[in-house]
Amino acid sequence: MAIVALSKVSLCGLLKEKTDILDALQRLGCLHLQPLRPPPAEPETVPPEHAENVHKALRFLLDTPLKRRQVTAAMLDQPAQFDLPGVVSETLKVQQREREISDRRDFLAQRIKQLQPWGDFTLPPEDQLAGYKLWFYLVPLSQMRLMPRKNLVWQQVHKDNQNAYIVVVAKTEPAVDALPVPRVHTGAVSLSELRRRLYRAQMELEELSASRQALTRWIFLLTQNMARADDRAALSHAAAQTLDSDQVFAVQGWLAREALDALRDFARRHGLALLVQPPQPGDTPPTLLHNPEPLSGGEAVVRFYQIPAYQDWDPSTILYFSFALFFAMIISDAGYGALFALALLAGWRKLSRSGARHLRGLCATLVGGTCVWGVMAGSYFGVPPPASSFAHQLKLFDLQDFDTMMRLSVVIGVAHIGVANAAMAWHNRGQPRAWARLGWVLAVLGGLVMWLGRSWPQAPAFFSAGNGFLDAQLLGSGLLGIGLLAVFWFSARQVAYREPTAWYWQLLAGLKELTGVSRIFGDILSYLRLFALGLASASLALTFNQLAAQVSAAVPGVGLLLSLLILLLGHGLNLLLAVVSGVVHGLRLNFIEFYNWGLSGEGRAFRPFAKKEDTRL
């Protein structure tokens, strides 16, 4: 679990060889490019990094309800016969035309609906009315008494249960306050002509739908050529990021230090000048995480929310195990864990083929943790094991024991946030902020000891010697006081001694840091959701079991079928709610509470400039 050390590298070569060198560099696939050119005044002119048109065309065709039989490369005389640009262009034209005609159809349908009460008419030419025009108003019947009786010529041409349809004859549009309602825009096109246009629009949409279905035969080949199209787009995007001057060009990026030998060999073979530099204080290198393959699923959890900055540390392994623990405690049922295990076994090979191998270990850990915690909690689809069974001997926790489960949740919260602060202390070792972080660790431990001394009368003998309550309070108070003093002192030490009033700013800095007491207290209490959600899941399972048993006993014969239906629907709903809660709240405790104390900034992921179609040199 580490953030890979990077170096900033710059390559310089002949401008005439730029395309070939960038293509070879893309095949090498180890450099995260950064632009050397200043941002353009019109960002939309920069070539996209991905083949956006191909992706857009493929999504459009995949959304087609009815698809044609697929064409494969084996069906063509030559693979080159597949015209990727032509198919993409034709698909996007159909998409754009379909969008335009759909908008026109909707407009015509709305206009016909508005015009239908007025009837089918055609406005006469202006010269036939001696300069007068017709103005249309839709007046509610309740406001007809407000219609002007003088200085305005109007006629009611239709009336329904709510409105009167009024036509005003005037050379210019009446003033806004002349009538109780604003004017209705009917347009100059007659109702019959609107209906003809709507019919033509619907016919054209049917033809476009047929063209779209015909294009769906290329979905398979579009998918196969997606990687090649993305590679070409990435190459064009990279070419727009280089610095070109006279007869040479320069490209710059970030590289893992372990790959420096490969890049030096690349530069030597292509006759390029190479400059290697360590990160400078003003640089913002991308973040490249490296974890053992069994634990690489933790990287997916980290990337889901926020990747750490290059100067931070890698929390992947901690999040890997803590998320599994939180998920298991929220599910709190070994029967549900067994269902997860069956689903994972069914999809194990599919996960391998889909390129999600790094997620298999995470899923296996989640499932294994759920089964183990469910056994320790003694819940099997909401049914506790018999007292004489071996499963009962494995039961270590009672979810109905509120005091014990609350203490366990708080202990987990203290441990989780304590680890976050300890990791930050180790990462910043040698600096005052490191001792301030250790101060928070001592403070939360002291608060925990004091609370357990008061709320745990049956505390183990090792918890304290002699008078347990008094010793726990003394120990906890000492740890809490030393911790808060360290937080205050070393936070104040971070303010430089330069001005005569430096002591004032140091005092404020220390006091400001101490205000985090309420925040860390609230964050630790957030871990009570582990107990609350686990209890809710177990209680719902037990409730559905009892309801099914009551229905089976109350309704002989068909009651058995009804009880089975209740069990199936009830446990299905409970399982769905538990999974959603386990994922949402399990991640929340990591990304909100843990991240608040464990990471100082947000980074950007390391994205190598590499070919998707073929990464071989």
Side-chain angles (χ1 to χ4, degrees):
M1 76 183 236
I3 294 179
V4 178
L6 303 179
S7 295
K8 183 175 15 177
V9 297
S10 303
L11 294 167
C12 186
L14 296 178
L15 186 59
K16 63 181 181 180
E17 300 175 355
K18 172 181 170 178
T19 302
D20 295 335
I21 291 174
L22 288 179
D23 182 73
L25 190 62
Q26 190 180 26
R27 291 183 181 277
L28 185 64
C30 61
L31 197 63
H32 177 105
L33 298 181
Q34 68 174 15
L36 285 176
R37 296 184 187 179
E42 299 178 353
E44 64 275 7
T45 61
V46 178
E49 192 172 358
H50 303 285
E52 296 179 356
N53 287 340
V54 181
H55 288 270
K56 189 185 301 182
L58 182 59
R59 286 195 300 269
F60 177 67
L61 295 180
L62 287 174
D63 290 340
T64 307
L66 298 177
K67 299 178 178 62
R68 298 288 180 89
R69 188 185 302 274
Q70 294 300 298
V71 177
T72 63
M75 298 177 184
L76 302 175
D77 296 334
Q78 296 179 358
Q81 287 182 339
F82 175 59
D83 183 13
L84 176 64
V87 171
V88 171
S89 176
E90 182 65 23
T91 302
L92 295 181
K93 288 180 181 178
V94 171
Q95 182 186 34
Q96 180 63 27
R97 188 61 180 166
E98 187 176 279
R99 185 180 296 120
E100 293 173 356
I101 301 302
S102 296
D103 292 342
R104 185 195 303 172
R105 178 200 59 191
D106 296 340
F107 169 77
L108 290 171
Q110 183 65 21
R111 179 53 61 86
I112 289 174
K113 181 179 179 181
Q114 296 173 350
L115 191 59
Q116 197 163 3
W118 298 95
D120 188 6
F121 63 91
T122 302
L123 293 175
E126 293 185 11
D127 56 358
Q128 293 186 8
L129 296 178
Y132 284 88
K133 297 180 181 179
L134 303 181
W135 311 92
F136 299 84
Y137 293 85
L138 188 63
V139 182
L141 297 178
S142 60
Q143 298 186 27
M144 281 297 296
R145 56 185 177 81
L146 302 177
M147 288 294 296
R149 302 299 177 181
K150 299 179 180 179
N151 302 327
L152 194 65
V153 179
W154 56 271
Q155 178 67 43
Q156 177 179 306
V157 297
H158 181 68
K159 182 175 72 172
D160 56 24
N161 294 332
Q162 295 180 343
N163 302 302
Y165 295 79
I166 306 298
V167 178
V168 176
V169 182
K171 290 186 177 181
T172 59
E173 181 178 356
V176 177
D177 57 351
L179 285 89
V181 293
R183 180 168 68 92
V184 175
H185 296 271
T186 60
V189 183
S190 65
L191 183 62
S192 56
E193 177 60 23
L194 289 174
R195 287 171 175 164
R196 284 191 292 269
R197 293 183 182 183
L198 177 61
Y199 177 78
R200 289 194 294 267
Q202 291 171 337
M203 291 290 292
E204 189 169 355
L205 279 177
E206 291 178 1
E207 295 174 359
L208 289 172
S209 178
S211 301
R212 179 178 179 178
Q213 289 182 19
L215 288 168
T216 58
R217 68 185 64 185
W218 303 109
I219 288 178
F220 180 78
L221 290 178
L222 278 174
T223 305
Q224 277 195 327
N225 288 270
M226 183 71 70
R228 185 181 305 173
D230 277 336
D231 289 342
R232 287 198 294 263
L235 186 61
S236 299
H237 181 77
Q241 306 299 312
T242 62
L243 180 63
D244 302 341
S245 177
D246 295 332
Q247 301 300 318
V248 297
F249 79 97
V251 60
Q252 190 176 82
W254 295 97
L255 179 77
R257 293 178 185 174
E258 293 80 1
L260 277 175
D261 291 339
L263 187 65
R264 288 192 179 100
D265 182 66
F266 174 87
R268 186 167 47 253
R269 286 187 286 108
H270 291 83
L272 303 175
L274 173 63
L275 175 64
V276 180
Q277 298 173 293
Q280 302 301 314
D283 291 334
T284 56
T287 303
L288 176 60
L289 304 178
H290 176 71
N291 289 273
E293 185 176 352
L295 302 178
S296 59
E299 296 180 15
V301 178
V302 171
R303 290 192 179 95
F304 178 80
Y305 179 71
Q306 173 182 309
I307 195 165
Y310 178 76
Q311 296 80 9
D312 270 327
W313 58 285
D314 181 10
S316 302
T317 302
I318 296 176
L319 265 62
Y320 181 94
F321 290 106
S322 60
F323 175 54
L325 173 62
F326 300 158
F327 183 85
M329 292 184 67
I330 292 174
I331 299 297
S332 289
D333 195 283
Y336 293 164
L339 291 180
F340 295 152
L342 293 176
L344 180 60
L345 288 175
W348 189 262
R349 292 185 178 180
K350 188 175 181 180
L351 284 175
S352 301
R353 292 194 299 266
S354 64
R357 295 178 61 91
H358 63 288
L359 293 179
R360 295 195 311 178
L362 177 61
C363 293
T365 304
L366 291 174
V367 172
T370 302
C371 293
V372 171
W373 177 259
V375 171
M376 294 171 63
S379 179
Y380 301 83
F381 293 107
V383 179
S388 59
S389 65
F390 176 71
H392 181 76
Q393 300 177 11
L394 298 177
K395 181 179 178 181
L396 302 179
F397 300 99
D398 184 2
L399 296 178
Q400 301 297 328
D401 185 355
F402 293 177
D403 292 338
T404 299
M405 295 307 299
M406 287 178 64
R407 282 193 291 267
L408 178 61
S409 299
V410 171
V411 168
I412 291 175
V414 169
H416 203 220
I417 291 180
V419 167
N421 281 284
M424 285 295 290
W426 174 257
H427 182 69
N428 296 292
R429 55 190 180 277
Q431 304 178 35
R433 70 183 67 181
W435 294 104
R437 291 290 186 166
L438 289 177
W440 283 120
V441 176
L442 293 178
V444 295
L445 286 177
L448 177 65
V449 170
M450 293 175 62
W451 179 66
L452 290 178
R454 289 180 178 274
S455 64
W456 196 5
Q458 300 83 17
F462 65 81
F463 187 74
S464 60
N467 189 336
F469 174 78
L470 180 60
D471 289 348
Q473 296 305 300
L474 288 176
L475 176 61
S477 300
L479 291 174
L480 179 62
I482 294 173
L484 294 180
L485 181 61
V487 170
F488 173 80
W489 177 255
F490 290 104
S491 297
R493 286 280 309 275
Q494 296 180 46
V495 179
Y497 294 86
R498 293 181 181 178
E499 301 178 1
T501 58
W503 65 270
Y504 174 77
W505 298 110
Q506 291 168 352
L507 177 63
L508 287 181
L511 293 176
K512 179 183 177 183
E513 190 66 19
L514 283 180
T515 60
V517 171
S518 61
R519 181 162 63 97
I520 201 168
F521 176 76
D523 287 344
I524 291 175
L525 290 184
S526 291
Y527 289 80
L528 289 175
R529 70 185 68 234
L530 297 175
F531 153 65
L533 292 171
L535 177 63
S537 176
S539 300
L540 277 177
L542 180 61
T543 301
F544 286 123
N545 291 340
Q546 294 174 347
L547 183 60
Q550 293 172 1
V551 170
S552 179
V555 185
V558 72
L560 178 61
L561 178 60
L562 293 176
S563 64
L564 291 177
L565 185 61
I566 291 173
L567 289 175
L568 182 61
L569 294 179
H571 282 286
L573 176 62
N574 188 33
L575 181 59
L576 177 62
L577 294 175
V579 170
V580 172
S581 299
V583 172
V584 172
H585 293 281
L587 292 177
R588 177 245 156 84
L589 290 174
N590 282 295
F591 294 149
I592 305 300
E593 280 73 15
F594 183 83
Y595 267 39
N596 278 343
W597 296 97
L599 294 175
S600 59
E602 181 178 1
R604 53 195 179 102
F606 183 94
R607 303 186 186 280
F609 176 55
K611 284 188 176 294
K612 297 181 180 179
E613 182 185 19
D614 182 14
T615 58
R616 295 172 298 176
L617 291 175

